[in-house]
Amino acid sequence: MRSIETCREDFPALHQTVAGGRPLVYLDSAATAQKPRSVIEAEARFYERDNANVHRGVHTLAVRATEAYERARRAVARFIGATDPACVVFVRGTTEAINLVARSYAQPRLGPDDEIVLTPMEHHSNMVPWQMVAQATGARLRYVDLLPDGTLDLASYERLLESGRVRVVAVTHQSNVLGTINPVREMAERAHRVGAVVVVDAAQSVPHQPVDVRQLGCDFLAFSGHKMMGPTGIGVLWGRRELLESMPPLFGGGEMIREVGLFESTYNEVPYKFEAGTPPIAQAVGLGAAVEYLESLGMEQVRAHEQRLVAYALERLGQMPDVRIYGPRQHRGGVVSFNVEGVHPHDVATILDQEGVAVRAGHHCAQPLMRWLDVPATVRASFYVYNTPEDVDALVRALEAVRAIFGAGAKPR
Ligand code: PLP
């Protein structure tokens, strides 16, 4: 077991100074995580030794590349409790995974009498694809209400399900803005009672807490490699085998076929029928290394570490009278969104950057949620295994600099 206390050493990008010599404090892991050396080296090693295209060659390197790619698939399956690696489809990321389900599973099945249930806290990538499906099919989008603390109003969810028309429930496991962890298991149970399938956006949960698809009981799970210390350009759609088998491929081309004729073709089995063309091979290898790294830390420990950090961050930020924090105080993930009264979030983020603290400001691809919060944007600090309480202290010190420049509690400009 690797220790979280010392794992910071494993991340080369964290050991640098920015902004004229200040040590980098990276609080933007919800956007993308830093990579441990083992991931960087796994990808480099693949290019140095094994680089070849997969599934197409009999030469030594092609066999090695194919084995490395499929080993990564098995590692991902193990990581999310999937018993069948064939149900792990490699895609570019969460966005592509959800679009694949929306286009290939939902669109051919839905019509004007059907409903898709979403929540207002979805990232655009779990909202816009469903809007597109609704526009193409006439299906109706319905939204679960939010309670004032930024959790889901499950009574309103129950009422939506009573229509008898709900065919799809698409919900984020963990909000990238509020940190809310949604009761996906209960929601899936209820959705299944009315015959709906459940699509879970796990972009912010798979990297940060133990996720087991058997326990969650969902039908599809989407997540991105780059948010869990893996490379960019690789992500995962896990789906129940019978559902994946029932779906037509979204892209046609090499790899995804069994037999090609001049006028029609037959398709490969899952997952290959969804992986047209040369896949992101080195990226898959890097993702496999990221999975091994996270396993060596232990996902329970990862979650516990982030819980401690978030509790500390909420306590420290909560002591600043002009800082308004969004989202629930309990049972939440490792992101803290806030605003400093009277200061635009982009100004806050710019000054924090000058202090060496990297946070994100903006709508976080959740514009409907911003409207619900009644703000144009928020500042978001997000934590991962390599962050420490000292990073929270650095954030608070940098926020003092914001106050010094703008004046505490200044009126909105
Ligand atoms: N869903 C959530 C909750 C996210 O936080 C993100 C990324 O910020 C996405 C989906 C989209 O992920 P990607 O851009 O890797 O496809």
Side-chain angles (χ1 to χ4, degrees):
M1 267 290 181
R2 193 178 256 106
S3 155
I4 290 192
E5 306 316 315
T6 54
C7 76
R8 196 181 165 83
E9 293 308 312
D10 299 334
F11 294 81
L14 296 177
H15 303 281
Q16 60 177 304
T17 55
V18 292
R22 290 179 168 75
L24 170 66
V25 177
Y26 188 76
L27 299 179
D28 196 21
S29 297
T32 200
Q34 295 302 343
K35 320 301 175 199
R37 205 169 277 110
S38 63
V39 168
I40 299 167
E41 284 172 359
E43 211 176 333
R45 215 171 29 245
F46 173 80
Y47 282 127
E48 283 168 5
R49 282 196 338 216
D50 305 330
N51 182 49
N53 213 329
V54 291
H55 301 139
R56 289 179 199 174
V58 292
H59 64 76
T60 305
L61 265 54
V63 172
R64 269 198 231 149
T66 304
E67 177 46 32
Y69 183 66
E70 293 304 328
R71 200 180 315 120
R73 196 190 306 278
R74 290 194 295 275
V76 168
R78 182 180 70 230
F79 192 61
I80 58 168
T83 45
D84 185 356
C87 295
V88 169
V89 182
F90 282 134
V91 291
R92 271 188 305 149
T94 309
T95 305
E96 187 178 308
I98 295 170
N99 275 275
L100 175 55
V101 179
R103 286 299 170 91
S104 180
Y105 177 80
Q107 194 156 314
R109 285 175 169 80
L110 299 195
D113 290 337
D114 297 320
E115 294 176 348
I116 301 166
V117 167
L118 305 173
T119 86
M121 71 172 83
E122 298 310 314
H123 188 281
H124 295 164
S125 52
N126 199 26
M127 205 175 259
V128 181
W130 301 111
Q131 293 172 352
M132 292 159 85
V133 168
Q135 277 153 18
T137 62
R140 190 168 167 214
L141 299 180
R142 316 275 327 255
Y143 283 89
V144 183
D145 290 336
L146 296 184
L147 295 171
D149 67 350
T151 57
L152 293 179
D153 177 354
L154 292 176
S156 99
Y157 177 59
E158 289 286 358
R159 283 195 297 278
L160 290 176
L161 292 180
E162 278 166 17
S163 75
R165 295 163 180 258
V166 178
R167 305 283 305 277
V168 175
V169 173
V171 60
T172 187
H173 195 184
Q174 184 176 311
S175 162
N176 64 317
V177 176
L178 302 170
T180 313
I181 297 175
N182 288 320
V184 168
R185 185 187 172 144
E186 293 75 17
M187 292 176 78
E189 267 170 28
R190 291 173 203 187
H192 287 155
R193 271 187 234 148
V194 300
V197 300
V198 178
V199 185
V200 175
D201 174 350
Q204 298 292 346
S205 61
V206 165
H208 299 283
Q209 55 173 294
V211 170
D212 185 315
V213 287
R214 291 163 303 187
Q215 278 172 20
L216 275 189
C218 58
D219 301 289
F220 294 102
L221 188 86
F223 54 100
S224 300
H226 69 98
K227 292 184 198 287
M228 53 188 286
M229 308 179 181
T232 52
I234 180 107
V236 172
L237 173 67
W238 171 87
R240 287 189 194 282
R241 188 169 190 129
E242 64 276 16
L243 300 184
L244 292 174
E245 280 174 349
S246 73
M247 289 160 56
L250 191 55
F251 301 115
E255 296 281 331
M256 52 73 70
I257 48 85
R258 179 160 291 143
E259 193 72 46
V260 176
L262 283 179
F263 297 101
E264 54 187 40
S265 305
T266 53
Y267 305 132
N268 208 337
E269 59 201 11
V270 293
Y272 308 110
K273 75 171 174 183
F274 298 115
E275 296 181 357
T278 299
I281 308 165
Q283 290 82 347
V285 170
L287 177 58
V291 162
E292 281 167 15
Y293 186 85
L294 283 167
E295 284 174 336
S296 76
L297 293 174
M299 290 309 291
E300 297 285 355
Q301 281 81 335
V302 171
R303 170 83 182 119
H305 177 76
E306 289 182 25
Q307 275 177 306
R308 283 193 295 273
L309 275 182
V310 164
Y312 183 55
L314 290 175
E315 180 197 326
R316 293 295 315 270
L317 295 177
Q319 286 159 355
M320 304 183 88
D322 47 349
V323 170
R324 168 131 199 245
I325 301 168
Y326 306 103
R329 294 299 180 269
Q330 304 291 334
H331 193 56
R332 48 142 53 239
V335 303
V336 179
S337 287
F338 61 91
N339 270 318
V340 180
E341 196 184 324
V343 189
H344 194 282
H346 285 122
D347 291 337
V348 175
T350 304
I351 296 167
L352 293 190
D353 179 56
Q354 288 162 8
E355 300 294 319
V357 180
V359 294
R360 188 148 294 245
H363 54 62
H364 314 293
C365 295
Q367 287 181 351
L369 182 62
M370 294 296 121
R371 268 176 233 121
W372 182 82
L373 290 170
D374 199 21
V375 294
T378 74
V379 184
R380 180 184 71 188
S382 53
F383 304 100
Y384 213 176
V385 289
Y386 36 68
N387 292 118
T388 61
E390 289 72 39
D391 291 345
V392 175
D393 295 338
L395 170 67
V396 170
R397 268 197 312 277
L399 285 170
E400 300 289 354
V402 174
R403 285 166 134 185
I405 292 168
F406 284 92
K411 286 280 157 275
R413 293 174 304 144

